[in-house]
Amino acid sequence: IPFVIGYLISLIVEPIIKYLTKKINISRKASSIIVLAIIFIGLSSIIIFGGTKLISETTNLLGGLNEYLDKTTDFINDIKEGLNKFNLSKEVINVFEKSTTDFINTIASYIKDVLTIALKYITSIPNILINVIITVLATYFITSDKFYILDRMEHHLSKKMVGKIVIHAKQITT
């Protein structure tokens, strides 16, 4: 997958690299480095900003979670005391207590599930970083050595196979 993503990114940045090599008269490798650095720095900045904002908001939410639970418990106790004033039967009060207990257990289960999913994503960060590094390197090598790669493919593949690849590449890119 990182190589496919690298190839797709190289298709997207190809016009920019061609423009830089012609107008500024720098090598293809240098223009590839410049364009990819700008793109990946921009994407990294957006991801880092979004991640820190997400972590900050999640921390605020979890910090206030105890307060929310205390308010919910106080509210349920107030309702329970109000029900006691009406001299309702024990069965109605038991149904209310069971319902509130089920409600609190459902919320606790939901929070546990959300935290489990968050932990799963946090533990997958090393794999994601490895894939990102491979994608960045693949994109650089594909963009900087495009003509070399095409030349090598023509020498090692039959003319019929090269023709099919050219047809499919044109179909994909247009």
Side-chain angles (χ1 to χ4, degrees), residues 95-148:
V95 167
F96 176 75
E97 286 178 351
K98 184 180 181 330
S99 298
T100 55
T101 304
D102 289 345
F103 175 72
I104 291 172
N105 288 339
T106 302
I107 290 176
S109 175
Y110 178 73
I111 292 171
K112 178 185 170 195
D113 292 343
V114 167
L115 291 177
T116 302
I117 290 169
L119 183 62
K120 176 183 167 190
Y121 283 114
I122 289 171
T123 57
S124 68
I125 287 175
N127 290 335
I128 293 170
L129 287 176
I130 289 171
N131 285 329
V132 167
I133 290 169
I134 291 171
T135 301
V136 170
L137 290 174
T139 305
Y140 167 72
F141 287 122
I142 291 170
T143 56
S144 67
D145 294 332
K146 176 184 176 185
F147 298 117
Y148 177 76

Side-chain angles (χ1 to χ4, degrees), residues 62-91:
L62 290 175
L65 189 61
N66 286 335
E67 181 181 338
Y68 299 137
L69 290 175
D70 289 341
K71 285 182 179 180
T72 304
T73 305
D74 291 342
F75 178 71
I76 290 171
N77 288 335
D78 290 344
I79 292 174
K80 193 174 169 183
E81 288 175 15
L83 290 176
N84 286 334
K85 291 179 184 177
F86 291 114
N87 293 327
L88 296 174
S89 68
K90 290 288 184 186
E91 293 171 353

Side-chain angles (χ1 to χ4, degrees), residues 40-60:
F40 288 119
I41 288 171
L43 287 175
S44 297
S45 299
I46 291 169
I47 291 170
I48 289 170
F49 175 75
T52 55
K53 194 71 171 168
L54 179 67
I55 289 171
S56 170
E57 293 299 323
T58 304
T59 304
N60 291 340

